[in-house]
Amino acid sequence: MRNNPGVLTLREAILVKKDKFLSLFCSKSIFPIDFKKQVATLRGKLKPDFNFILKAKRAAKKAQKKYDLELTQWQEENEILTKALEIFTSAAEGKEPDDQSLVQKDGEFVIWTGNAVFHEAGRTPSRYVGGSTGFSVPIGAGIRVRVGQQRGTLVPGDAMQMDKDQGFAKLTNQRLIFAGSLETTEWAFSKILSVAKTETGDDFLIGVSNRKKTSGLRFSPSDAQFFSRIFAMALYAYENGIPATVKTIKNEIQQLAAEKPVLAIVGIVEN
């Protein structure tokens, strides 16, 4: 049984090549006309074009690789949406999980918990540049004194996000919370001004109106993908309510189902 219905087998590629040649030959044949006999005879004598077969195999391999990648991405997205739908549907039905490790506010429930690194804007240590060690002057009895020493100009350190602590991140329908052994902080949805994700996709920078310094969280690659989507949904639910969020997720699942990748049929046109 063929595993990939859209890909030509080696035997089929040979037959396609033969049939193309035979169709051309029979259409121009000057022999008086037992075409079935001619075709049968030529099928037994015609040698396969291995260059054509190689092209077909390469095209099939490329199509299969593209399909596998798109299917994996589709499955990951479908899994995220399905899990998110379960979370917000349970919340709409009043089945919010009770997190004993968090003092929850009225109407608050925990959506997701994971591990994260907390970081905050800071500077590297300052340094002196252009200094001089001076020179040593003998004053007698084997004693020397160093004079003319200068420390140079003080240059402030570079501004950057500095890792502060590692611990748990909790996302609720009202805020994002970090709790570690050294640092504890929260980002209330009502105070959020901006949210940005770095190019690596695993680091999130969050600006809030009640703090001057931008801070954020960094996750593992696997957690970062889910957090990115569920965080956006939590913010949407905060603005529009749980029922509207459930409806939106259902619509996204339906649209995703209609866009499920299919394996492209390989077609080779000979020069």
Side-chain angles (χ1 to χ4, degrees):
M1 181 178 294
R2 190 188 303 175
N3 293 327
N4 302 314
V7 179
L8 296 178
T9 64
L10 180 60
R11 177 178 176 81
E12 288 171 334
I14 295 172
L15 292 178
V16 166
K17 174 67 177 178
K18 286 182 177 180
D19 287 339
K20 183 175 180 181
F21 174 82
L22 292 173
S23 298
L24 178 63
F25 177 84
C26 292
S27 66
K28 296 182 178 180
S29 175
I30 62 174
F31 296 102
I33 317 288
D34 187 356
F35 289 107
K36 290 184 178 180
K37 186 174 181 180
Q38 292 178 18
V39 170
T41 301
L42 288 170
R43 277 189 183 278
K45 294 182 179 180
L46 189 63
K47 295 182 180 180
D49 185 337
F50 289 102
N51 185 50
F52 172 80
I53 295 170
L54 183 60
K55 287 182 179 180
K57 290 178 68 175
R58 286 176 177 172
K61 185 177 180 180
K62 183 178 180 181
Q64 183 68 49
K65 184 177 180 180
K66 182 175 183 292
Y67 168 75
D68 291 341
L69 176 61
E70 291 178 348
L71 183 62
T72 298
Q73 293 173 341
W74 183 90
Q75 289 172 338
E76 290 175 351
E77 181 68 10
N78 186 64
E79 182 179 351
I80 290 173
L81 290 175
T82 301
K83 188 173 181 180
L85 181 62
E86 293 176 359
I87 292 172
F88 285 99
T89 299
S90 297
E93 296 173 352
K95 301 177 182 178
E96 300 94 342
D98 186 15
D99 193 328
Q100 300 297 330
S101 64
L102 176 66
V103 178
Q104 294 167 292
K105 299 179 180 180
D106 291 340
E108 185 178 27
F109 62 90
V110 175
I111 296 173
W112 179 81
T113 300
N115 296 315
V117 174
F118 168 66
H119 52 77
E120 188 176 43
R123 286 187 178 274
T124 57
S126 300
R127 63 190 187 281
Y128 286 92
V129 296
S132 173
T133 58
F135 55 92
S136 179
V137 178
I139 60 175
I143 300 174
R144 303 180 70 90
V145 175
R146 183 169 295 278
V147 296
Q149 186 176 6
Q150 295 180 348
R151 299 187 67 179
T153 303
L154 179 64
V155 177
D158 298 327
M160 61 185 301
Q161 288 287 316
M162 311 285 289
D163 289 352
K164 297 293 186 178
D165 198 5
Q166 184 171 356
F168 291 101
K170 292 183 181 293
L171 178 65
T172 79
N173 61 322
Q174 297 183 17
R175 53 184 171 156
L176 174 62
I177 304 162
F178 173 81
S181 58
L182 301 175
E183 301 279 347
T184 300
T185 191
E186 71 171 19
W187 298 265
F189 291 174
S190 60
K191 303 292 184 180
I192 288 180
L193 299 176
S194 64
V195 178
K197 183 168 62 174
T198 60
E199 292 182 359
T200 57
D202 60 352
D203 206 346
F204 298 81
L205 302 174
I206 307 170
V208 288
S209 60
N210 56 334
R211 289 196 295 272
K212 291 184 178 181
K213 292 184 178 181
T214 300
S215 56
L217 297 174
R218 185 171 66 253
F219 300 90
S220 66
S222 57
D223 281 349
Q225 184 179 11
F226 184 74
F227 173 79
S228 179
R229 294 303 308 275
I230 203 71
F231 187 28
M233 293 175 189
L235 292 172
Y236 183 87
Y238 178 76
E239 295 290 340
N240 301 279
I242 299 298
T245 305
V246 171
K247 182 179 179 180
T248 299
I249 296 173
K250 287 181 177 179
N251 290 338
E252 288 191 22
I253 291 176
Q254 291 178 354
Q255 182 178 352
L256 186 67
E259 297 173 353
K260 185 174 182 179
V262 295
L263 183 60
I265 299 175
V266 178
I268 301 295
V269 178
E270 189 179 16
N271 295 328

